[in-house]
Amino acid sequence: MRAFPSIVVPSGWYMVGWSSDFPIGTAKPLAYFGEDLVAYRGESGRLIVLDAYCRHMGAHLGYGGCVRGDSVACPYHGWVWGPDGRNTEIPYSSPDNMPRLKLKKWSVHEVDDIVLVYYSNDGRPPLYEPPERMIRFDGETWPACETTTKVWLNEKISPQYMAENAADAAHFKYIHRAADIASIAESKVEGGVFKARLDLTFGGHAEKTWATPTGPVSGSITTENLGLGLGWSRLQAFDDVIYLLGITPISPDAVDMRSTTWVARKRSDGSTMSEKVRDLWVAQQNAQVDADLNVWRHLSYVENAPWAQSETSTMRVLRRWAKQFYPAEANSSVAAAATEGASE
Ligand code: FES
Ligand SMILES: [Fe+2]
């Protein structure tokens, strides 16, 4: 049987969609982290996420719930739930007789068209702040839209695999066809964020490519993993490209994935990025994730991996960092199960 890093969904900020998925006045169901949720954008523009099931008789507010102001009315008997999750109205009962009922309210953060929700597996407040921006370069780009985004649904993987990629220099040659084994120039942990930078030559295999029209360029890939399920990388060479991948757990062993590619409209020689080259960047970035997925879909997690000397320090740092997102007891029970399995 395949092993996973944990039988528990790791805590963290996770992407549940793009802002445009949540128009004003519409309530929608979300099913993540083993929970059923309702997301709705109130008339003020605020996006609210609550537990889905009405406390009266259990109707799902995401199926037919009616947005009123910044509240949502249940489709079954019209009980109204405010943006803080409190029951504010029972249409056929006086306010004095109302029980004090409340739905759990989830933390939501929207930035650069990306919608994030915080999940905690142990009730602790968020371990790290959500990002203040996703688009890191100055200057214009295209907004997240159908041509710059991609969705993969119900993939049987752990979000930790994406985070491990950032510290795994050797796989760039075998999975992503980098000319040489890239070296990690820098990596560091800042609380819930793991940062790394790889220096490499782009287009080294040809005189010119669509990405390097003036010949090979030395550049870098900067990555930040904000918790285990949200990672962006910035490629800076002839072009400037930010690629965000959100890996959101449905359960401990299944996820939805969403990518967004922001390509700078200005190229480094001052010319304007064409839509054709932009689309090539989007396709290339998504193809890299597909290549990773071919491995991740069938990977059986090795808890105490026998690292080669060159990968030991970065991978150890990454795995130690990753542990903070799981409850301590869950980790040790999985480790024990893995050891038992190995001796059978
Ligand atoms: S179940 Fe929601 S109002 Fe009755
Ligand atoms: Fe990868």
Side-chain angles (χ1 to χ4, degrees), residues 135 151 170 290 301:
I135 305 168
V151 177
D290 281 326
Y301 185 74

Side-chain angles (χ1 to χ4, degrees), residues 79-332:
W79 290 30
V80 179
W81 304 89
D84 59 355
R86 277 181 210 289
N87 176 216
T88 54
E89 190 190 330
I90 297 171
Y92 45 87
S93 178
S94 88
D96 303 341
N97 295 331
M98 271 193 344
R100 292 165 160 266
L101 297 175
K102 195 171 183 290
L103 293 167
K104 180 182 164 189
K105 178 185 186 299
W106 292 66
S107 298
V108 179
H109 182 73
E110 269 186 289
V111 52
D112 290 334
D113 298 330
I114 305 298
V115 177
L116 305 174
V117 166
Y118 191 81
Y119 169 74
S120 170
N121 53 32
D122 57 7
R124 276 186 294 165
L127 298 167
Y128 56 100
E129 295 291 317
E132 280 171 22
R133 57 186 189 145
M134 291 291 184
I135 305 168
R136 309 279 158 154
F137 49 70
D138 297 325
E140 289 184 24
T141 182
W142 287 266
C145 60
E146 213 168 306
T147 42
T148 58
T149 60
K150 178 166 176 171
V151 177
W152 295 258
L153 295 176
N154 203 17
E155 295 287 352
K156 305 288 186 282
I157 69 160
S158 158
Q160 186 173 322
Y161 304 156
M162 170 181 67
E164 295 204 345
N165 253 239
D168 180 357
H171 95 289
F172 283 93
K173 178 171 177 182
Y174 301 95
I175 297 294
H176 304 302
R177 310 209 172 271
D180 294 304
I181 293 199
S183 64
I184 294 181
E186 208 183 319
S187 69
K188 67 176 166 189
V189 165
E190 284 177 11
V193 183
F194 182 89
K195 300 182 174 184
R197 199 187 83 233
L198 262 91
D199 291 334
L200 63 171
T201 302
F202 287 80
H205 58 287
E207 205 178 310
K208 284 179 187 175
T209 70
W210 59 265
T212 50
T214 54
V217 184
S218 50
S220 63
I221 303 179
T222 317
T223 58
E224 268 191 28
N225 284 281
L226 303 109
L228 297 182
L230 194 67
W232 60 261
S233 42
R234 179 180 185 182
L235 282 81
Q236 288 168 281
F238 190 79
D239 293 324
D240 205 339
V241 180
I242 312 262
Y243 185 75
L244 175 77
L245 189 60
I247 301 194
T248 307
I250 301 165
S251 60
D253 57 1
V255 303
D256 285 346
M257 301 172 43
R258 296 177 179 84
S259 79
T260 310
T261 311
W262 291 285
V263 180
R265 280 182 185 261
K266 197 170 250 182
R267 307 191 84 180
S268 60
D269 65 352
S271 63
T272 304
M273 168 69 59
S274 67
E275 292 194 359
K276 188 174 156 223
V277 174
R278 175 204 66 187
D279 293 348
L280 287 168
W281 272 116
V282 174
Q284 165 164 297
Q285 293 302 102
N286 287 326
Q288 303 294 352
V289 171
D290 281 326
D292 279 320
L293 263 176
N294 269 339
V295 173
W296 296 346
R297 280 186 186 127
H298 310 287
L299 190 153
S300 188
Y301 185 74
V302 181
E303 176 79 21
N304 297 307
W307 312 117
Q309 201 181 4
S310 58
E311 60 196 2
T312 305
S313 61
T314 332
M315 289 304 294
R316 281 220 176 114
V317 170
L318 185 125
R319 290 246 173 134
R320 213 173 304 128
W321 166 80
K323 282 201 186 303
Q324 69 182 299
F325 306 106
Y326 302 102
E329 330 72 75
N331 272 314
S332 50

Side-chain angles (χ1 to χ4, degrees), residues 53-61 73-81 87 89-92:
Y53 296 115
C54 180
R55 296 288 309 279
H56 177 220
M57 283 172 64
H60 193 308
L61 298 168
C74 178
Y76 209 1
H77 314 93
W79 290 30
V80 179
W81 304 89
N87 176 216
E89 190 190 330
I90 297 171
Y92 45 87

